[in-house]
Amino acid sequence: MARLVMKFGGTSVADIDRIRNVARHVKREVDAGFEVAVVVSAMSGKTNELVNWTRAAAPLHDAREYDAVVASGEQVTSGLLAIALQEMGVNARSWQGWQIPIRTDAAHGAARIVDIDGARLIERLEQGQVAVIAGFQGLGPDNRIATLGRGGSDTSAVAIAAAIKADRCDIYTDVDGVYTTDPRMVPKAKRLDRVSHEEMLEMASLGAKVLQVRSVELAMVHGVRTFVRSSFVDPEDPALGDPNNPPGTLICDEDEIVEKQVVTGIAYAKDEAQISLREVADKPGVAAAVFVPLAEANINVDMIVQNVSEDGTTTDMTFTVPNTDFDRAWKVLAEARESIGYASVQGSRDLTKVSVIGIGMRSHAGVAASAFKALASKGINIRAITTSEIKISILIDAPYTELAVRTLHTLYGLDAA
């Protein structure tokens, strides 16, 4: 019997009516003959409420007690969905992360999954019972609940799919798949039938909010075929078609994609900030002097550009950090000024990183050049550029975000016909 993991996010389980609708989706798959495990998030807005309560109780709270509080949202949802399924005549039982168990490392609040023993789950599934699992949580080495960070239910679902050797993992969201770009910004954006793990990893890390980055990493490592689907369609809609190949976007190995587009999608990430260190001594170890203190402060540095002076004695070093980390990064660099030895520091906020992504770029020249030319024709100044085999990222001023995304989307023929 085929085995399926279904994951439902916060908007899909926002209230009792939504939970009943999710139960209908689950029952449809059970009736189609699947062994089903369901992973659920907390009801929409509930995690934020729980986080705010912990901050109100104590701004500098114990991370282990924070996890005990915020993990309760998923516990409520899993119990309610199990009840709704039982009411429909489906044999179902709720599971918390520690009951499986999902073992994590000790990083409370942002734990990583170390191991999942799927034996008990498989036993129940083979008996015909639906397992309704609280996402976002596991059991740390201190035998306490540990949460996986925001968006962690996606990671839970893919990890469980790998552990129980599921045929696929369906991620249900408030959209019906992965689009060439944000359809709210570009109405001509179209839904993609298939996206490679590599492309999805880039899109997720560069601003696309459909899937959490770590869930895509796990899917790629373990070869989990993952569908992105909408939970807001009628569960009995005939258009859902073949239960083995549902509508939505399949995230899969590159080998499963026959026709590879040069560019698959355009992603963007707002709230970027840029910092430039002027006249830094051009000598071995200077990069470490800059970036090690930032790393120790848990500040993520992204795009890095270095320009050496004409006489070769100094260099200007420019890089980006999240806008939320700008003030902390500025302070770290000020404290490390003596060891770095820069003449001055400059910064800019309110920037956006726009990225062009596609596995077809590996075998096509001129993709970057055409992007630069198109943006120049629209009067958009490029502050920094980084590239990889399947990605070009361009840093621009935030007010030009929509114009840049629409320009590039049209340039690469991604507008829907």
Side-chain angles (χ1 to χ4, degrees):
M1 186 176 290
R3 191 170 292 155
L4 174 65
V5 173
M6 307 170 72
K7 182 267 175 179
F8 294 90
T11 54
S12 301
V13 293
D15 53 38
I16 297 300
D17 286 339
R18 291 284 185 201
I19 289 172
R20 289 196 182 103
N21 185 63
V22 165
R24 292 168 63 212
H25 278 288
V26 175
K27 186 176 187 301
R28 180 193 66 235
E29 303 295 0
V30 171
D31 291 344
F34 285 100
E35 293 177 354
V36 180
V38 188
V39 177
V40 292
S41 298
M43 298 164 78
S44 183
K46 182 56 66 177
T47 300
N48 285 339
E49 182 182 34
L50 295 169
V51 169
N52 290 336
W53 284 355
T54 60
R55 288 174 177 166
L60 298 175
H61 43 260
D62 187 315
R64 291 162 296 187
E65 301 309 331
Y66 167 92
D67 278 354
V69 174
V70 298
S72 65
E74 282 72 15
Q75 179 173 328
V76 170
T77 309
S78 62
L80 290 173
L81 179 55
I83 290 170
L85 285 165
Q86 291 167 4
E87 188 69 10
M88 293 179 180
V90 176
N91 180 10
R93 185 64 64 201
S94 65
W95 294 69
Q96 310 314 309
W98 59 268
Q99 291 175 301
I100 294 173
I102 299 172
R103 297 285 181 181
T104 75
D105 62 19
H108 283 277
R112 298 184 74 88
I113 295 173
V114 174
D115 180 60
I116 298 178
D117 183 354
R120 292 176 64 200
L121 273 181
I122 291 172
E123 182 182 342
R124 294 291 187 91
L125 293 174
E126 290 178 341
Q127 292 171 5
Q129 186 176 88
V130 172
V132 185
I133 303 162
F136 175 63
Q137 60 182 257
L139 188 67
D142 55 0
N143 223 34
R144 298 189 62 88
I145 292 172
T147 63
L148 308 180
R150 301 309 289 264
S153 292
D154 286 350
T155 303
S156 299
V158 174
I160 288 167
I164 66 174
K165 296 179 172 56
D167 293 82
R168 72 169 196 264
C169 178
D170 289 356
I171 306 289
Y172 284 81
T173 71
D174 52 2
V175 294
D176 60 352
V178 179
Y179 279 71
T180 49
T181 195
D182 185 347
R184 294 167 298 180
M185 180 175 288
V186 184
K188 292 182 178 180
K190 57 188 176 186
R191 190 182 73 195
L192 297 162
D193 291 328
R194 296 189 177 207
V195 179
S196 73
H197 286 123
E198 276 190 273
E199 288 172 320
M200 193 65 238
L201 189 59
E202 293 283 11
M203 293 172 78
S205 64
L206 294 168
K209 305 297 184 185
V210 178
L211 287 175
Q212 201 241 21
V213 174
R214 276 191 290 162
S215 70
V216 184
E217 290 175 348
L218 279 172
M220 183 163 64
V221 169
H222 295 285
V224 177
R225 299 175 83 249
T226 306
F227 270 96
V228 177
R229 307 179 60 179
S230 172
S231 63
F232 292 91
V233 298
D234 186 336
E236 280 80 44
D237 190 336
L240 290 175
D242 182 358
N244 294 307
N245 292 286
T249 299
L250 173 63
I251 317 298
C252 58
D253 288 334
E254 186 178 333
D255 295 344
E256 290 193 56
I257 301 175
V258 178
E259 293 187 24
K260 298 177 177 63
Q261 300 293 321
V262 177
V263 171
T264 299
I266 312 295
Y268 67 92
K270 292 185 175 180
D271 299 322
E272 296 282 313
Q274 184 183 57
I275 296 175
S276 297
L277 300 179
R278 303 298 184 192
E279 297 182 34
V280 181
D282 188 24
K283 61 182 180 181
V286 68
V290 173
F291 298 115
V292 167
L294 292 170
E296 289 174 346
N298 292 316
I299 296 171
N300 183 43
V301 174
D302 186 15
M303 308 173 83
I304 302 173
V305 178
Q306 188 171 343
N307 298 310
V308 180
S309 64
E310 190 173 339
D311 62 7
T313 60
T314 64
T315 182
D316 290 343
M317 196 171 290
T318 300
F319 53 89
T320 62
V321 297
N323 199 27
T324 51
D325 288 334
F326 181 82
D327 292 331
R328 287 201 305 124
W330 193 278
K331 182 180 178 182
V332 168
L333 293 169
E335 292 172 349
R337 181 169 186 171
E338 187 174 336
S339 60
I340 298 171
Y342 59 83
S344 63
V345 60
Q346 297 172 341
S348 301
R349 307 180 92 154
D350 198 24
L351 303 174
T352 296
K353 179 172 60 181
V354 179
S355 301
V356 178
I357 301 153
I359 51 177
M361 291 167 59
R362 288 183 179 137
S363 55
H364 286 77
V367 177
S370 59
F372 304 153
K373 183 178 179 181
L375 294 177
S377 71
K378 300 293 184 180
I380 301 173
N381 183 48
I382 298 173
R383 287 175 167 265
I385 303 163
T386 58
T387 63
S388 72
E389 266 195 320
I390 66 168
K391 171 209 72 180
I392 305 161
S393 289
I394 301 163
L395 191 68
I396 62 172
D397 293 322
Y400 292 96
T401 302
E402 186 169 334
L403 177 60
V405 171
R406 289 188 173 190
T407 298
L408 295 173
H409 197 267
T410 301
L411 172 69
Y412 296 115
L414 299 178
D415 292 353

